[in-house]
Amino acid sequence: MARNRYWVVWTNAIEQWQVKKTGNETALKNFNVKADAIDYGVDVAKRNMPSQLTIKKKDGQIEDERTYGDDPYPPKG
């Protein structure tokens, strides 16, 4: 089963943190506080396992990645 991918990203156009799902143009929800966006992203990812949440900094660099559900890492062998 393919993993659902979610993102916490800063959006300059509206100056807010957004939680997005890969493949969707529209954000699931907008936040003024990054911690609130992360909490929401974790909740959504846990409800839709298997999933991955990628958290980015304001400059777009990846800060953290979290996997929920069936994680193939470390690989067998």
Side-chain angles (χ1 to χ4, degrees), residues 20-61:
K20 293 186 168 188
K21 182 178 181 183
T22 296
N24 292 354
E25 297 262 339
T26 306
L28 299 175
K29 199 165 182 182
N30 300 323
F31 298 87
N32 292 319
V33 179
K34 184 177 185 179
D36 294 341
I38 293 171
D39 290 344
Y40 179 78
V42 167
D43 184 54
V44 169
K46 284 183 176 180
R47 283 187 282 121
N48 296 285
M49 294 190 285
S51 61
Q52 181 173 6
L53 176 66
T54 302
I55 301 163
K56 290 192 170 188
K57 299 177 185 180
K58 270 191 175 181
D59 66 5
Q61 290 186 336

